[in-house]
Amino acid sequence: MTSLALSRVRFLPFALGLGTFLAAALIVEILIRAGLINRFIVPMPSQIVASFERVIVEEHMFERFVMTFKECLAAAALLAIFGISIGAAMHRFELLRRATETWVAAMASAPTVLMYPLFLVIFGRSATTIVMMGFVAGLPAVILKTIEGLSSTRRVLLNVGRSFKLTPLQMFLKIQLPSALPTIFTGFKLGLIFALINVVGVEFLINFGGLGQLINDLAERYDLPGTYAAICFVILVSVIFFIVIEWIERWLTRTD
Amino acid sequence: MSVAPMPSPRAAPIPKPDGILVVDDIVKRFPTPDGVITAVDHVSFAVRPGEFLSVIGPSGCGKSTLFNIIGGLVTGFDGSVTVAGERIDGPHASVGMVFQEESTFPWRTVIENVAFPLEIAGMPKTQRLEKAMHFIALVGLNGFENRHPVELSGGMRQRVSLARTLASEPKILLMDEPFAALDEQTRLLLGDKVLQIQQTLKQTTLLITHNITEAVQLSDRILVMTYRPGRTKRVVEIDLPRPRSSEIVGSDAFGHYVAQVWADLREEATRGLDEAESRAREKK
């Protein structure tokens, strides 16, 4: 295959994805202009695009974007540190695991966002509340996937470690953790989705901070194109996060 | 290839415990829902320095249990295992293990896999990579040192595992059917590689296998085990010339040894098969 053909193959999925998105936007635009979708509920995609400049300049988008990004980053760091540590501890200590695993699993499906008044009381109307809400929402997924990853380490690899007389710490760091990394990353990405939803959601609910607060403000002003433009920036935060996480995952678990 | 005149097969006496590896009167029982099963029953043998001994037996004769006992992975047995006079009661640096299942670390390159025991031993990076390269060359994987296991064939991956174990420079190399998952041609060719390594390093080796051809091709002696409970049935001296290669499988002497070992093994394998079938009938 020639290099030109190869590069075409490589960019084809991206081009197809972008094309599908643009086609969907075009269909919505046509449906709204034709009066089949109420334009007071759903703004036209062209209006959303036109509002980008206004939202960026007048609503201090950059500062808000950075604030939400920082909150997500803090929640992600807490998830990585505490989620993996708690998961590893629960895997290591059978009693702890048996005593708490069901609770953690139940917490994974609980609507933790409803706990925001409690967090407001504890941490005040601040970024800490938002970060902690994001952290708590993502924690169960990281814990459960860490346990699953560590538990599914192949027995023969553990036996290799035993045959080389590894200490428990070496066994964990040199065999169990690298073996579990792909599963842990799956949990981490899931946790991050919950964290991001909660960060923006709590910003919206307590009307504080970055993009969530902006969406709240714009929605209350009934500036629908601006609201959707702000939502696009939330998606951008998510996209940047996932690109970075996947890059880190590839770097840590490179096998080819 | 010329081979020595066809020797008359004979059962070798079980040597007295004067080897570098001495397995003395091992008994291992496992509790099961149907009662206690004796997997290994009063098995004793010794492996001399530089010798290649194979343990062969039908499925269920306790070969793998014996492998795990000698490697220190199984405890709670009667009898003793000593290496160079030192009693083994857990994993031991003197015993290097190569497992039946694929056991390379997929997240490490070939050279990182082979250097693993040296890294654990605290050897400086430059030195350990240099030493790992020596063992990679020994198993014939030059040029693949920076590949990951996923890019290698099954036979190449088993050679990585072998090189990794050899890099720890064990006194005894313990292998549990390392080529069982490979096709016959690859197995014979890897047998050649093992013979070359054995020749180069004078490595004392204990191979657990159920493959008669492999056992005769590689071994100085073959210990034939009975079906459950696993006991020593016979020890056969393989008086084929060294250095050997896979070409020897076409010789009359080789065929004679294979027939001899099969004659011993057939009775046990038949017994194993009959018992498995009667168990299946009972379950019905």
Side-chain angles (χ1 to χ4, degrees), chain A residues 6 11 40 42 46 61 63 79 81 86 101 105 142 157 178 186 194 213 215 219 221 229 231:
Chain A
L6 259 177
F11 289 110
F40 295 106
V42 181
S46 58
M61 177 56 81
E63 288 84 350
L79 281 175
I81 295 166
I86 295 169
E101 193 172 10
V142 182
L157 298 186
T186 305
F194 293 131
Q213 186 196 27
I215 291 167
R221 279 187 252 152
I231 289 170

PDB file of all heavy atoms in Angstrom, chain A residues 6 11 40 42 46 61 63 79 81 86 101 105 142 157 178 186 194 213 215 219 221 229 231:
ATOM      1  N   LEU A   6      -2.123   4.877   2.614  1.00  0.00           N
ATOM      2  CA  LEU A   6      -2.081   4.612   4.061  1.00  0.00           C
ATOM      3  C   LEU A   6      -2.623   5.798   4.845  1.00  0.00           C
ATOM      4  O   LEU A   6      -3.424   5.646   5.765  1.00  0.00           O
ATOM      5  CB  LEU A   6      -0.638   4.333   4.493  1.00  0.00           C
ATOM      6  CG  LEU A   6      -0.241   2.878   4.694  1.00  0.00           C
ATOM      7  CD1 LEU A   6       1.226   2.803   5.048  1.00  0.00           C
ATOM      8  CD2 LEU A   6      -1.073   2.219   5.773  1.00  0.00           C
ATOM      9  N   PHE A  11      -6.849   8.651   8.087  1.00  0.00           N
ATOM     10  CA  PHE A  11      -7.699   9.805   8.362  1.00  0.00           C
ATOM     11  C   PHE A  11      -9.167   9.559   8.023  1.00  0.00           C
ATOM     12  O   PHE A  11     -10.005  10.381   8.341  1.00  0.00           O
ATOM     13  CB  PHE A  11      -7.167  11.034   7.620  1.00  0.00           C
ATOM     14  CG  PHE A  11      -5.890  11.546   8.213  1.00  0.00           C
ATOM     15  CD1 PHE A  11      -4.688  11.424   7.542  1.00  0.00           C
ATOM     16  CD2 PHE A  11      -5.882  12.101   9.494  1.00  0.00           C
ATOM     17  CE1 PHE A  11      -3.508  11.869   8.117  1.00  0.00           C
ATOM     18  CE2 PHE A  11      -4.706  12.554  10.068  1.00  0.00           C
ATOM     19  CZ  PHE A  11      -3.512  12.433   9.377  1.00  0.00           C
ATOM     20  N   PHE A  40     -37.456  28.016  19.805  1.00  0.00           N
ATOM     21  CA  PHE A  40     -37.327  28.605  21.150  1.00  0.00           C
ATOM     22  C   PHE A  40     -36.850  27.582  22.185  1.00  0.00           C
ATOM     23  O   PHE A  40     -36.528  27.925  23.302  1.00  0.00           O
ATOM     24  CB  PHE A  40     -38.676  29.219  21.575  1.00  0.00           C
ATOM     25  CG  PHE A  40     -39.076  30.369  20.730  1.00  0.00           C
ATOM     26  CD1 PHE A  40     -40.084  30.248  19.784  1.00  0.00           C
ATOM     27  CD2 PHE A  40     -38.393  31.591  20.837  1.00  0.00           C
ATOM     28  CE1 PHE A  40     -40.416  31.311  18.971  1.00  0.00           C
ATOM     29  CE2 PHE A  40     -38.723  32.645  20.029  1.00  0.00           C
ATOM     30  CZ  PHE A  40     -39.749  32.518  19.078  1.00  0.00           C
ATOM     31  N   VAL A  42     -34.761  24.634  20.913  1.00  0.00           N
ATOM     32  CA  VAL A  42     -33.455  24.222  20.375  1.00  0.00           C
ATOM     33  C   VAL A  42     -32.942  25.308  19.430  1.00  0.00           C
ATOM     34  O   VAL A  42     -33.607  25.630  18.438  1.00  0.00           O
ATOM     35  CB  VAL A  42     -33.570  22.878  19.612  1.00  0.00           C
ATOM     36  CG1 VAL A  42     -32.204  22.452  19.085  1.00  0.00           C
ATOM     37  CG2 VAL A  42     -34.155  21.804  20.500  1.00  0.00           C
ATOM     38  N   SER A  46     -26.263  27.121  13.465  1.00  0.00           N
ATOM     39  CA  SER A  46     -25.578  28.317  12.940  1.00  0.00           C
ATOM     40  C   SER A  46     -25.567  29.422  13.993  1.00  0.00           C
ATOM     41  O   SER A  46     -24.592  30.172  14.116  1.00  0.00           O
ATOM     42  CB  SER A  46     -26.256  28.791  11.660  1.00  0.00           C
ATOM     43  OG  SER A  46     -27.614  29.068  11.926  1.00  0.00           O
ATOM     44  N   MET A  61     -14.781  33.252  28.894  1.00  0.00           N
ATOM     45  CA  MET A  61     -14.767  31.814  28.684  1.00  0.00           C
ATOM     46  C   MET A  61     -13.434  31.163  29.079  1.00  0.00           C
ATOM     47  O   MET A  61     -13.401  30.094  29.694  1.00  0.00           O
ATOM     48  CB  MET A  61     -15.088  31.504  27.210  1.00  0.00           C
ATOM     49  CG  MET A  61     -15.039  30.055  26.840  1.00  0.00           C
ATOM     50  SD  MET A  61     -16.117  29.064  27.865  1.00  0.00           S
ATOM     51  CE  MET A  61     -17.666  29.364  27.070  1.00  0.00           C
ATOM     52  N   GLU A  63     -11.136  31.948  31.302  1.00  0.00           N
ATOM     53  CA  GLU A  63     -10.961  31.792  32.752  1.00  0.00           C
ATOM     54  C   GLU A  63     -11.869  30.679  33.288  1.00  0.00           C
ATOM     55  O   GLU A  63     -11.471  29.866  34.120  1.00  0.00           O
ATOM     56  CB  GLU A  63     -11.285  33.103  33.497  1.00  0.00           C
ATOM     57  CG  GLU A  63     -10.253  34.212  33.325  1.00  0.00           C
ATOM     58  CD  GLU A  63     -10.465  35.019  32.046  1.00  0.00           C
ATOM     59  OE1 GLU A  63     -11.294  34.603  31.192  1.00  0.00           O
ATOM     60  OE2 GLU A  63      -9.784  36.044  31.882  1.00  0.00           O
ATOM     61  N   LEU A  79      -8.763  10.874  42.405  1.00  0.00           N
ATOM     62  CA  LEU A  79      -9.234   9.543  41.998  1.00  0.00           C
ATOM     63  C   LEU A  79      -8.059   8.594  41.791  1.00  0.00           C
ATOM     64  O   LEU A  79      -8.108   7.428  42.210  1.00  0.00           O
ATOM     65  CB  LEU A  79     -10.026   9.639  40.690  1.00  0.00           C
ATOM     66  CG  LEU A  79     -11.461  10.132  40.780  1.00  0.00           C
ATOM     67  CD1 LEU A  79     -12.056  10.271  39.391  1.00  0.00           C
ATOM     68  CD2 LEU A  79     -12.298   9.161  41.605  1.00  0.00           C
ATOM     69  N   ILE A  81      -5.015   8.808  43.065  1.00  0.00           N
ATOM     70  CA  ILE A  81      -4.280   8.517  44.314  1.00  0.00           C
ATOM     71  C   ILE A  81      -5.114   7.632  45.242  1.00  0.00           C
ATOM     72  O   ILE A  81      -4.703   6.541  45.633  1.00  0.00           O
ATOM     73  CB  ILE A  81      -3.878   9.828  45.028  1.00  0.00           C
ATOM     74  CG1 ILE A  81      -2.886  10.608  44.155  1.00  0.00           C
ATOM     75  CG2 ILE A  81      -3.271   9.535  46.401  1.00  0.00           C
ATOM     76  CD1 ILE A  81      -2.675  12.043  44.577  1.00  0.00           C
ATOM     77  N   ILE A  86      -7.126   2.705  47.548  1.00  0.00           N
ATOM     78  CA  ILE A  86      -8.194   2.003  48.288  1.00  0.00           C
ATOM     79  C   ILE A  86      -8.475   0.652  47.614  1.00  0.00           C
ATOM     80  O   ILE A  86      -8.618  -0.375  48.285  1.00  0.00           O
ATOM     81  CB  ILE A  86      -9.474   2.867  48.366  1.00  0.00           C
ATOM     82  CG1 ILE A  86      -9.223   4.130  49.200  1.00  0.00           C
ATOM     83  CG2 ILE A  86     -10.639   2.075  48.975  1.00  0.00           C
ATOM     84  CD1 ILE A  86     -10.333   5.169  49.133  1.00  0.00           C
ATOM     85  N   GLU A 101     -17.028  -4.205  49.903  1.00  0.00           N
ATOM     86  CA  GLU A 101     -17.161  -4.199  48.441  1.00  0.00           C
ATOM     87  C   GLU A 101     -18.614  -3.943  48.000  1.00  0.00           C
ATOM     88  O   GLU A 101     -18.860  -3.217  47.035  1.00  0.00           O
ATOM     89  CB  GLU A 101     -16.639  -5.515  47.852  1.00  0.00           C
ATOM     90  CG  GLU A 101     -16.457  -5.417  46.338  1.00  0.00           C
ATOM     91  CD  GLU A 101     -15.752  -6.632  45.753  1.00  0.00           C
ATOM     92  OE1 GLU A 101     -15.568  -7.627  46.481  1.00  0.00           O
ATOM     93  OE2 GLU A 101     -15.395  -6.582  44.570  1.00  0.00           O
ATOM     94  N   ALA A 105     -19.968  -0.958  45.637  1.00  0.00           N
ATOM     95  CA  ALA A 105     -20.736  -1.233  44.421  1.00  0.00           C
ATOM     96  C   ALA A 105     -22.072  -0.498  44.457  1.00  0.00           C
ATOM     97  O   ALA A 105     -22.524   0.047  43.440  1.00  0.00           O
ATOM     98  CB  ALA A 105     -20.959  -2.736  44.282  1.00  0.00           C
ATOM     99  N   VAL A 142     -13.359   3.531  40.066  1.00  0.00           N
ATOM    100  CA  VAL A 142     -11.900   3.316  40.109  1.00  0.00           C
ATOM    101  C   VAL A 142     -11.564   2.193  41.096  1.00  0.00           C
ATOM    102  O   VAL A 142     -10.755   1.307  40.799  1.00  0.00           O
ATOM    103  CB  VAL A 142     -11.158   4.626  40.488  1.00  0.00           C
ATOM    104  CG1 VAL A 142      -9.647   4.403  40.484  1.00  0.00           C
ATOM    105  CG2 VAL A 142     -11.513   5.741  39.526  1.00  0.00           C
ATOM    106  N   LEU A 157       1.959 -15.681  36.218  1.00  0.00           N
ATOM    107  CA  LEU A 157       2.840 -14.520  36.394  1.00  0.00           C
ATOM    108  C   LEU A 157       3.187 -14.348  37.876  1.00  0.00           C
ATOM    109  O   LEU A 157       4.317 -13.994  38.225  1.00  0.00           O
ATOM    110  CB  LEU A 157       2.185 -13.250  35.846  1.00  0.00           C
ATOM    111  CG  LEU A 157       1.861 -13.240  34.347  1.00  0.00           C
ATOM    112  CD1 LEU A 157       1.365 -11.862  33.918  1.00  0.00           C
ATOM    113  CD2 LEU A 157       3.081 -13.621  33.517  1.00  0.00           C
ATOM    114  N   PRO A 178       1.384  -3.569  36.946  1.00  0.00           N
ATOM    115  CA  PRO A 178       1.445  -3.467  35.479  1.00  0.00           C
ATOM    116  C   PRO A 178       0.449  -4.374  34.774  1.00  0.00           C
ATOM    117  O   PRO A 178      -0.111  -4.010  33.743  1.00  0.00           O
ATOM    118  CB  PRO A 178       2.881  -3.882  35.134  1.00  0.00           C
ATOM    119  CG  PRO A 178       3.618  -4.047  36.383  1.00  0.00           C
ATOM    120  CD  PRO A 178       2.668  -3.957  37.533  1.00  0.00           C
ATOM    121  N   THR A 186      -9.473   1.512  32.531  1.00  0.00           N
ATOM    122  CA  THR A 186     -10.895   1.483  32.159  1.00  0.00           C
ATOM    123  C   THR A 186     -11.712   2.088  33.295  1.00  0.00           C
ATOM    124  O   THR A 186     -12.609   2.913  33.057  1.00  0.00           O
ATOM    125  CB  THR A 186     -11.350   0.024  31.910  1.00  0.00           C
ATOM    126  OG1 THR A 186     -10.497  -0.542  30.930  1.00  0.00           O
ATOM    127  CG2 THR A 186     -12.783  -0.047  31.441  1.00  0.00           C
ATOM    128  N   PHE A 194     -17.869  10.209  35.393  1.00  0.00           N
ATOM    129  CA  PHE A 194     -18.756  10.583  36.513  1.00  0.00           C
ATOM    130  C   PHE A 194     -18.268  11.879  37.177  1.00  0.00           C
ATOM    131  O   PHE A 194     -19.069  12.735  37.549  1.00  0.00           O
ATOM    132  CB  PHE A 194     -18.808   9.453  37.557  1.00  0.00           C
ATOM    133  CG  PHE A 194     -19.469   8.201  37.050  1.00  0.00           C
ATOM    134  CD1 PHE A 194     -18.863   6.960  37.211  1.00  0.00           C
ATOM    135  CD2 PHE A 194     -20.696   8.253  36.412  1.00  0.00           C
ATOM    136  CE1 PHE A 194     -19.466   5.800  36.750  1.00  0.00           C
ATOM    137  CE2 PHE A 194     -21.306   7.098  35.936  1.00  0.00           C
ATOM    138  CZ  PHE A 194     -20.690   5.870  36.108  1.00  0.00           C
ATOM    139  N   GLN A 213     -21.438  27.132  36.011  1.00  0.00           N
ATOM    140  CA  GLN A 213     -22.073  28.387  36.427  1.00  0.00           C
ATOM    141  C   GLN A 213     -22.470  29.228  35.198  1.00  0.00           C
ATOM    142  O   GLN A 213     -23.540  29.820  35.151  1.00  0.00           O
ATOM    143  CB  GLN A 213     -21.112  29.191  37.314  1.00  0.00           C
ATOM    144  CG  GLN A 213     -21.775  30.433  37.894  1.00  0.00           C
ATOM    145  CD  GLN A 213     -20.790  31.436  38.450  1.00  0.00           C
ATOM    146  OE1 GLN A 213     -19.634  31.494  38.016  1.00  0.00           O
ATOM    147  NE2 GLN A 213     -21.226  32.214  39.428  1.00  0.00           N
ATOM    148  N   ILE A 215     -23.220  28.115  32.235  1.00  0.00           N
ATOM    149  CA  ILE A 215     -24.396  27.506  31.605  1.00  0.00           C
ATOM    150  C   ILE A 215     -25.657  27.913  32.373  1.00  0.00           C
ATOM    151  O   ILE A 215     -26.680  28.266  31.780  1.00  0.00           O
ATOM    152  CB  ILE A 215     -24.242  25.960  31.565  1.00  0.00           C
ATOM    153  CG1 ILE A 215     -23.124  25.569  30.582  1.00  0.00           C
ATOM    154  CG2 ILE A 215     -25.538  25.270  31.148  1.00  0.00           C
ATOM    155  CD1 ILE A 215     -22.672  24.121  30.686  1.00  0.00           C
ATOM    156  N   ALA A 219     -28.555  30.109  30.719  1.00  0.00           N
ATOM    157  CA  ALA A 219     -29.875  29.484  30.644  1.00  0.00           C
ATOM    158  C   ALA A 219     -30.910  30.367  31.325  1.00  0.00           C
ATOM    159  O   ALA A 219     -32.038  30.537  30.829  1.00  0.00           O
ATOM    160  CB  ALA A 219     -29.838  28.110  31.293  1.00  0.00           C
ATOM    161  N   ARG A 221     -30.791  33.538  31.538  1.00  0.00           N
ATOM    162  CA  ARG A 221     -31.015  34.701  30.657  1.00  0.00           C
ATOM    163  C   ARG A 221     -31.747  34.278  29.376  1.00  0.00           C
ATOM    164  O   ARG A 221     -31.945  35.065  28.482  1.00  0.00           O
ATOM    165  CB  ARG A 221     -29.666  35.321  30.286  1.00  0.00           C
ATOM    166  CG  ARG A 221     -29.095  36.242  31.347  1.00  0.00           C
ATOM    167  CD  ARG A 221     -27.847  36.922  30.813  1.00  0.00           C
ATOM    168  NE  ARG A 221     -26.646  36.392  31.433  1.00  0.00           N
ATOM    169  CZ  ARG A 221     -25.459  36.361  30.854  1.00  0.00           C
ATOM    170  NH1 ARG A 221     -25.308  36.778  29.617  1.00  0.00           N
ATOM    171  NH2 ARG A 221     -24.423  35.883  31.499  1.00  0.00           N
ATOM    172  N   ALA A 229     -23.345  26.869  23.291  1.00  0.00           N
ATOM    173  CA  ALA A 229     -21.930  27.131  23.006  1.00  0.00           C
ATOM    174  C   ALA A 229     -21.087  26.770  24.241  1.00  0.00           C
ATOM    175  O   ALA A 229     -20.008  26.164  24.122  1.00  0.00           O
ATOM    176  CB  ALA A 229     -21.741  28.603  22.644  1.00  0.00           C
ATOM    177  N   ILE A 231     -21.903  24.575  26.501  1.00  0.00           N
ATOM    178  CA  ILE A 231     -21.902  23.111  26.610  1.00  0.00           C
ATOM    179  C   ILE A 231     -20.812  22.518  25.689  1.00  0.00           C
ATOM    180  O   ILE A 231     -20.146  21.549  26.046  1.00  0.00           O
ATOM    181  CB  ILE A 231     -23.301  22.541  26.267  1.00  0.00           C
ATOM    182  CG1 ILE A 231     -24.289  22.891  27.390  1.00  0.00           C
ATOM    183  CG2 ILE A 231     -23.258  21.019  26.085  1.00  0.00           C
ATOM    184  CD1 ILE A 231     -25.741  22.600  27.069  1.00  0.00           C
TER     185      ILE A 231
END
